[in-house]
Amino acid sequence: MNAGLYVHVPFCRHRCHFCAFMITTHRDFLADWERAVIAELLLRGSAFPETFDTIYFGGGTPSLAPPDSIGRIIDAARKHLTVSPDIEITLEANPGDLTARDLGELHELGVNRLSLGLQSTNDDDLSFLTRHHSAKEGRDAFLAARAAGFANITIDLIYGLPHRNREEWRDRLGAALELEPDHVSAYQLTYEPGTPMRRFRDKGDFTSLTIEEEGERFALTRRWLAEAGYAPYEISNFALEPRFESRHNWKYWEGAPYLGLGPAAHSFRDGRRWWNHGAVRNYVRAVDPKKGEESLTEAQIRLEMMFLGLRTVRGIRIENLPEGLLDRPRTQSYLDQGLAEMVEGRFRLTSRGLAVADGIAADLGGATTP
Amino acid sequence: MRRDRIRNFSIIAHIDHGKSTLADRMIEITGAVPDRSLKDQLLDTMDIERERGITIKSNAIALDYEAEDGETYCLNLIDTPGHVDFTYEVSRALAACEGVLLLIDATQGVQAQTVSNLYLALEQELTVIPVINKIDLPAADVDRVHDQIESELGLDPFDAVECSAKTGQGVEAILEAIVALIPPPADKVDLPLRALIFDSQYDEYRGVVIHCRVFEGEVNKGDMIKLFGTDREYRVEETGIFRISRIARKTLSAGEVGYVIAGIKTVGNARVGDTMTLAENPATEPLAGYRDAQSVVFSSIYPVDAVDYEDLTLGLEKLKLNDASLLYEKESSASLGFGFRCGFLGLLHLEVVQERVEREYGISIITTAPTVRYRITHRTGAVVEIKNPLDYPDPSVIDFTEEPYIRADIILPERYLGPVIALCIQNRGMNQKMHYMDPRNVELRYDLPLAEILYEFYDRLKSVSQGYASFAYEPLEYQKADLVKVDILVNKERVDALSFLSHRDRAVARGRLICAQLKKTIHRHLFKVPIQAAIGGNVIARETISAMRKDVTAKCYGGDISRKRKLLEKQKKGKKRMKMVGSVEIPQEAFLSVLKTSKED
């Protein structure tokens, strides 16, 4: 199995109210960060004899890193890892960060997939989400990326905002699709513990959607995107053509090896997972930035493959799983209820089942042997 | 110690009137405990007692007091439980005394337990010294309490001592009053031994420690003693008196209070109220007043996790060593597996046992709804008593059913009369008496079914009277009852542990309440879960937990995977705290929440 490389760029202009990621608004560490990422690449690279066919710059806000910094990291990867000629290199960007020149430069460096943090096409939504760009800036950024030669652009959208009805969401989604993105990640708004958004909701500043409404929005989103030609292949991910599916993210869902560089990044290989210091200061100062690790048991790996598989269109290949992981009468009851279906020997969830994938995973997980 | 220098006394009071504080102060002033070991509620040794501020077990301590007359007296303070569940234990502790301090809170005046405790003391023909406590508080109304002592209690207000147990003011005067007013024990040392067991506690290393008052004769180390209740004989290993710990003495003789250790393995063999005599030269009659522990409340205890059943068995056995009034027998339930049907002295006793099993033995348990003992007369004339709703026979074979009643005395300020009467009526109470103690305070007497006061009657009484009403009760005879058995069905399956017996008129309201509580505690499933209350095949209440529509998390990338797996692993463990009924997971709290159902919701 080919491996993937993840690079965490922890810098942001400010923290959005819904965000629970490991980020920093202090950009004076940029140079230290680049140096530390390359050092980590040298430290860990030899442990990965696999061929890498994806690089993913995630954040944070990778578009805040200067393009030449991104370039030096890509170069280091090419030099110290085995890299496939057909490599997918994704970079997340916020509208407004990148000039036409930056975009051209990044494209030149080999970045061939741009993930644009549009979030919404409506100014009220953007302001509620404390995003600093306008709907127009989002649209302009998209068009500029196309003009710079990006033939594979994905957009992030957030739906399920409070006090917005389904028609409003349909309109926002429709406006986004008019840009003709190649791929859409549509995330239902979650109120992560510790975020201001969660606090505001809990103290009653606004009323979040009911579970019924959330379920309805989830189903409608899948339907509307499918009708527009975007095939759902994971809970929140939709591709206009199979080739636009995120090759990198599939690695997480299929248990492929991946090397994560940067603060808080996770790596996984051969049943072992490790992760780095989260605070940038600690990450850049550490001789070895690894903060912790775990060795997964067979059962834990099976459990992960089960719940990850259930989130995707590929589902799980039942006969590949050892006896006891899936207890047959239970899986049968999901088939009977129309929450799951068997397609080409794989057990996968239907749209209705996907909405409750966590509950189904917990239920089936409860049947696994320790 | 010369017999005429001994005073045996107890403090009786309504709850929170300052009994433990006064005891602490007396211990402090007489120097029985070095300062550095002073802590609050010295006589309450169990964690539960300290946390709840209540006394569950009786206890005793000997205080040396040098009185104004220059003589040193031995004052034996016998601490008594302060809750209506333990009335019998209180009466035995009082029987060991010659006198009592009747403690009254100057801010609250005479309360229901003040009266009921006074009656217990008068039944034993004890000298009663009224003590007015908390006189340092701004809200204290000492004159009013003096009036009440005379008019309501029929005692001489001139004997009353005023004090503040908190500051220590007046405590010396109380000690003097004890010496002056309470008679010394009678001199009956030449008679055959008769000693009253007023408590017995289990010591891990020594076995049972009998707390007793010797009335006649004497007991020595090495004597063979005989207990009237069990007719068993034991060799005395040690006798002694109580300081803050036990102090061994060769002899305990008539008039003294102390302990006896005699290799007894369980407190069930040295019951409260029993009489100890010598195997050779025994007394002919036991002391009066012994009675077997009577369970009045029944409930089942099940381990949440079936693997804890063995530990639960051991836990109950151990508790039983120290709690003769706890009765239990094995039982099995279709929904909860193996467990025990238990009998308790009252609801507090139930709660204490429940808490001790969980705390001291670390077992998560489910306690089913408490019930009383019903008496059922079949059409054939056969009479059976049932203490478990599951034993309720087919209604067609029943001629009539009877249930236990209690007589409640409630004392409250006049302004809460309306809501308190409404509460009593709501609980099928029958008014027996209403009497103005003074223009502001009323004494109410209601006969109520015991079953009705099991569910938060006391809490509700406190809440409708803003804490001002006080309450004491005594058992009455059985009376006829119109009962029905209500079953609870979750997803169409009967959960036997939730079945309950109810008065017919109350069945619907209670069924609704339980359905609503279950709806709150059972989480959403992937399918719709109906919850029903039914009498026979007849559904009387219903709720529906709608199916989970959406729970999936939006993102699951590199760093999220471990977290998600750990969550699943945790949920899997959490399932052990769930009971599966059919395909529905019922959490432990669901069973508990059924116990806590206030009536107005």
Side-chain angles (χ1 to χ4, degrees):
Chain A
M1 243 189 305
N2 286 340
L5 178 68
Y6 176 79
V7 181
H8 190 70
V9 190
F11 308 100
C12 282
R13 290 183 196 280
H14 78 290
R15 184 181 279 282
C16 301
H17 281 175
F18 57 86
C19 171
F21 283 104
M22 186 56 77
I23 61 127
T24 176
T25 53
H26 297 285
R27 273 179 281 166
D28 28 344
F29 280 112
L30 258 168
D32 288 339
W33 164 79
E34 183 197 317
R35 185 187 42 71
V37 163
I38 290 172
E40 192 187 6
L41 177 66
L42 293 175
L43 185 68
R44 301 264 179 258
S46 57
F48 283 79
E50 290 87 356
T51 299
F52 283 77
D53 62 358
T54 67
I55 302 178
Y56 194 104
F57 290 92
T61 317
S63 50
L64 289 183
D68 51 340
S69 182
I70 298 290
R72 283 190 290 273
I73 293 170
I74 294 175
D75 282 348
R78 288 203 160 112
K79 192 165 158 203
H80 299 286
L81 303 173
T82 313
V83 166
S84 159
D86 167 37
I87 192 167
E88 172 195 280
I89 305 182
T90 307
L91 182 124
E92 293 180 346
N94 274 354
D97 280 352
L98 300 175
T99 62
R101 203 175 136 206
D102 292 338
L103 285 164
E105 231 173 279
L106 287 166
H107 192 247
E108 202 58 18
L109 290 165
V111 176
N112 51 21
R113 184 168 181 267
L114 197 76
S115 170
L116 199 60
L118 220 54
Q119 317 308 356
S120 177
T121 53
N122 173 279
D123 283 337
D124 286 342
D125 284 5
L126 289 167
S127 129
F128 176 79
L129 294 168
T130 61
R131 300 292 290 179
H132 279 191
H133 66 270
S134 66
K136 182 175 179 304
E137 283 167 327
R139 192 184 154 77
D140 291 347
F142 187 93
L143 297 175
R146 272 283 191 249
F150 283 96
N152 184 353
I153 306 180
T154 174
I155 56 170
D156 279 1
L157 296 172
I158 300 180
Y159 69 99
L161 274 55
H163 310 301
R164 269 89 170 158
N165 62 32
R166 57 184 190 178
E167 283 72 28
E168 288 169 308
W169 162 231
R170 194 186 52 204
D171 294 345
R172 270 78 144 160
L173 178 63
L177 296 185
E178 276 173 23
L179 296 169
E180 298 181 1
D182 308 291
H183 179 281
V184 176
S185 295
Y187 300 111
Q188 191 148 98
L189 177 62
T190 41
Y191 302 90
E192 298 290 340
T195 60
M197 197 66 97
R198 168 72 164 257
R199 208 162 59 240
F200 297 148
R201 182 198 69 176
D202 291 352
K203 75 184 170 82
D205 287 0
F206 56 81
T207 313
S208 51
L209 300 189
T210 64
I211 287 175
E212 279 71 20
E213 289 169 329
E214 285 193 2
E216 186 214 33
R217 299 293 150 86
F218 180 79
L220 285 175
T221 302
R222 297 181 72 80
R223 202 172 81 202
W224 290 335
L225 277 159
E227 283 168 3
Y230 293 84
Y233 66 99
E234 195 259 355
I235 295 291
S236 305
N237 288 290
F238 305 82
L240 196 53
E241 288 174 36
R243 66 190 169 102
F244 294 125
E245 289 177 10
S246 169
R247 194 195 286 168
H248 184 80
N249 287 341
W250 270 115
K251 299 199 185 296
Y252 300 133
W253 304 326
E254 297 231 290
Y258 50 87
L259 172 60
L261 306 177
H266 282 60
S267 302
F268 179 71
R269 188 180 181 281
D270 203 15
R272 219 165 55 83
R273 179 177 288 120
W274 65 94
W275 51 91
N276 290 342
H277 289 289
V280 182
R281 189 181 294 268
N282 294 339
Y283 172 76
V284 301
R285 285 182 184 172
V287 176
D288 182 339
K290 183 167 77 182
K291 186 183 175 206
E293 66 182 310
E294 57 184 6
S295 278
L296 305 186
T297 63
E298 278 288 312
Q300 286 177 318
I301 292 174
R302 285 201 302 273
L303 182 63
E304 290 190 355
M305 290 300 97
M306 191 267 297
F307 73 73
L308 291 167
L310 287 180
R311 294 176 63 90
T312 74
V313 70
R314 293 186 194 164
I316 355 173
R317 185 172 289 280
I318 270 197
E319 68 274 18
N320 281 357
L321 294 162
E323 206 63 37
L325 176 62
L326 287 182
D327 115 354
R328 307 279 159 140
R330 267 204 238 207
T331 48
Q332 190 58 48
S333 89
Y334 290 124
L335 295 171
D336 295 345
Q337 294 172 65
L339 294 170
E341 57 192 358
M342 287 300 297
V343 177
E344 290 166 12
R346 302 185 80 101
F347 175 84
R348 74 174 193 196
L349 300 183
T350 61
S351 176
R352 226 154 47 77
L354 283 167
V356 291
D358 284 7
I360 295 176
D363 185 35
L364 296 178
T368 57
T369 46
Chain B
M1 176 62 66
R2 280 172 46 182
R3 203 157 287 101
D4 61 355
R5 303 271 165 76
I6 295 175
R7 300 291 183 273
N8 297 317
F9 75 104
S10 181
I11 310 173
I12 55 179
H14 190 72
I15 191 160
D16 287 339
H17 278 201
K19 196 158 69 90
S20 294
T21 313
L22 178 59
D24 287 352
R25 205 58 61 236
M26 293 167 91
I27 293 167
E28 189 185 307
I29 286 176
T30 56
V33 181
D35 279 348
R36 63 188 151 77
S37 8
L38 270 180
K39 48 186 174 178
D40 287 346
Q41 280 185 275
L42 273 163
L43 294 179
D44 293 334
T45 45
M46 276 194 266
D47 287 344
I48 297 177
E49 293 184 316
R50 288 173 184 281
E51 280 168 26
R52 294 190 172 208
I54 52 168
T55 303
I56 298 166
K57 303 287 284 182
S58 298
N59 229 319
I61 186 166
L63 309 171
D64 286 333
Y65 174 63
E66 196 185 327
E68 282 169 9
D69 61 10
E71 303 287 350
T72 297
Y73 290 83
C74 175
L75 311 182
N76 288 309
L77 164 58
I78 298 171
D79 193 24
T80 59
H83 191 276
V84 283
D85 282 3
F86 304 105
T87 304
Y88 174 69
E89 285 67 20
V90 176
S91 79
R92 292 309 84 202
L94 295 185
C97 303
E98 273 78 28
V100 294
L101 304 177
L102 177 63
L103 196 60
I104 306 165
D105 182 330
T107 66
Q108 293 189 14
V110 168
Q111 297 290 304
Q113 281 174 263
T114 319
V115 181
S116 57
N117 279 320
L118 171 66
Y119 289 153
L120 286 178
L122 294 178
E123 272 170 34
Q124 308 292 335
E125 299 180 358
L126 303 184
T127 300
V128 178
I129 304 174
V131 174
I132 305 173
N133 189 22
K134 306 195 188 179
I135 56 169
D136 58 312
L137 294 183
D141 186 347
V142 177
D143 290 343
R144 168 177 159 238
V145 179
H146 274 285
D147 288 347
Q148 287 183 333
I149 288 171
E150 186 167 21
S151 61
E152 296 307 318
L153 305 180
L155 299 172
D156 189 343
F158 292 105
D159 289 340
V161 187
E162 297 168 13
C163 81
S164 163
K166 201 173 88 193
T167 65
Q169 181 192 354
V171 176
E172 295 261 3
I174 296 172
L175 294 166
E176 285 298 324
I178 292 169
V179 170
L181 299 176
I182 296 178
D187 178 8
K188 294 180 177 172
V189 76
D190 298 332
L191 297 175
L193 173 69
R194 288 211 294 177
L196 170 70
I197 300 176
F198 62 83
D199 197 10
S200 60
Q201 299 186 1
Y202 185 78
D203 180 305
E204 231 175 292
Y205 305 103
R206 308 297 306 271
V208 173
V209 180
I210 294 174
H211 297 205
C212 62
R213 155 73 196 271
V214 182
F215 279 90
E216 292 156 8
E218 60 177 39
V219 58
N220 291 285
K221 183 175 173 178
D223 284 348
M224 281 303 283
I225 51 163
K226 187 181 89 162
L227 302 178
F228 273 94
T230 54
D231 207 27
R232 291 168 82 154
E233 296 180 6
Y234 305 92
R235 174 82 61 195
V236 175
E237 298 168 5
E238 184 180 317
T239 67
I241 61 161
F242 299 104
R243 294 291 181 184
I244 200 65
S245 51
R246 298 191 295 262
I247 307 289
R249 288 272 176 82
K250 205 178 126 283
T251 303
L252 272 186
S253 61
E256 290 188 304
V257 169
Y259 68 91
V260 170
I261 296 173
I264 304 175
K265 295 281 181 287
T266 150
V267 293
N269 287 333
R271 301 274 177 89
V272 171
D274 201 356
T275 301
M276 182 197 310
T277 188
L278 292 179
E280 296 170 29
N281 187 24
T284 50
E285 289 286 319
L287 297 158
Y290 177 71
R291 129 185 150 198
D292 268 329
Q294 263 282 5
S295 301
V296 293
V297 176
F298 303 87
S299 162
S300 299
I301 294 181
Y302 289 89
V304 172
D305 188 343
V307 303
D308 287 337
Y309 176 75
E310 292 300 316
D311 287 345
L312 175 61
T313 312
L314 286 173
L316 287 173
E317 274 171 17
K318 282 197 173 166
L319 282 184
K320 176 85 183 161
L321 289 177
N322 201 17
D323 182 354
S325 50
L326 167 65
L327 304 178
Y328 62 91
E329 59 195 29
K330 285 187 183 173
E331 182 186 72
S332 75
S333 142
S335 50
L336 297 180
F338 289 102
F340 296 92
R341 189 70 184 167
C342 306
F344 306 94
L345 298 175
L347 266 196
L348 179 76
H349 187 211
L350 182 160
E351 283 175 28
V352 166
V353 168
Q354 181 184 328
E355 213 171 304
R356 292 186 66 185
V357 168
E358 295 217 304
R359 187 187 299 212
E360 293 171 30
Y361 303 98
I363 307 166
S364 302
I365 53 172
I366 287 169
T367 321
T368 62
T371 180
V372 299
R373 190 195 305 260
Y374 291 100
R375 193 186 291 153
I376 295 173
T377 305
H378 288 242
R379 289 193 194 282
T380 59
V383 178
V384 293
E385 286 193 337
I386 63 158
K387 47 190 186 178
N388 190 333
L390 300 182
D391 299 334
Y392 192 69
D394 187 296
S396 64
V397 308
I398 298 173
D399 185 7
F400 61 89
T401 306
E402 295 162 290
E403 63 178 325
Y405 268 66
I406 54 114
R407 170 155 293 170
D409 284 307
I410 302 168
I411 292 178
L412 67 156
E414 195 259 346
R415 61 183 182 281
Y416 300 112
L417 201 52
V420 170
I421 289 178
L423 178 69
C424 290
I425 292 174
Q426 204 180 33
N427 287 286
R428 298 192 281 137
M430 288 168 295
N431 183 236
Q432 301 300 323
K433 189 176 104 181
M434 184 170 122
H435 154 71
Y436 275 80
M437 298 168 66
D438 56 48
R440 282 178 298 166
N441 291 292
V442 187
E443 187 182 5
L444 276 180
R445 174 168 291 174
Y446 267 89
D447 289 354
L448 289 150
L450 176 61
E452 296 294 338
I453 66 162
L454 291 186
Y455 299 106
E456 294 202 321
F457 178 82
Y458 187 66
D459 290 345
R460 301 274 307 124
L461 179 68
K462 285 282 168 202
S463 106
V464 301
S465 69
Q466 298 183 308
Y468 282 103
S470 63
F471 167 69
Y473 71 83
E474 59 185 85
L476 289 179
E477 285 302 296
Y478 274 63
Q479 298 193 18
K480 280 196 183 172
D482 185 10
L483 283 192
V484 287
K485 181 181 164 213
V486 182
D487 289 320
I488 300 294
L489 295 88
V490 173
N491 205 21
K492 310 249 165 72
E493 288 196 44
R494 188 176 76 129
V495 185
D496 58 359
L498 293 175
S499 295
F500 62 95
L501 296 175
S502 163
H503 193 265
R504 188 179 301 275
D505 296 346
R506 306 295 300 275
V508 172
R510 200 160 155 68
R512 274 197 197 128
L513 219 61
I514 290 185
C515 290
Q517 288 285 349
L518 288 173
K519 183 179 180 177
K520 272 189 229 162
T521 42
I522 297 176
H523 69 77
R524 287 187 190 225
H525 283 62
L526 295 168
F527 43 89
K528 195 164 72 178
V529 179
I531 299 171
Q532 297 158 308
I535 302 173
N538 205 356
V539 174
I540 55 166
R542 155 197 328 263
E543 292 276 359
T544 304
I545 301 173
S546 45
M548 173 51 87
R549 295 272 179 231
K550 192 238 155 203
D551 65 7
V552 70
T553 42
K555 292 189 181 190
C556 197
Y557 301 120
D560 305 315
I561 297 171
S562 275
R563 201 176 330 129
K564 185 120 189 108
R565 189 197 73 242
K566 283 174 187 154
L567 188 71
L568 283 176
E569 288 168 340
K570 206 171 119 197
Q571 282 172 338
K572 191 173 160 184
K573 276 194 196 134
K575 279 181 197 297
K576 287 190 177 167
R577 291 184 73 85
M578 302 267 197
K579 282 287 175 186
M580 289 295 290
V581 174
S583 45
V584 179
E585 292 165 347
I586 304 185
Q588 180 192 20
E589 306 90 79
F591 292 92
L592 302 179
S593 70
V594 170
L595 308 184
K596 298 275 178 198
T597 49
S598 76
K599 301 203 171 178
E600 272 188 347
D601 293 345

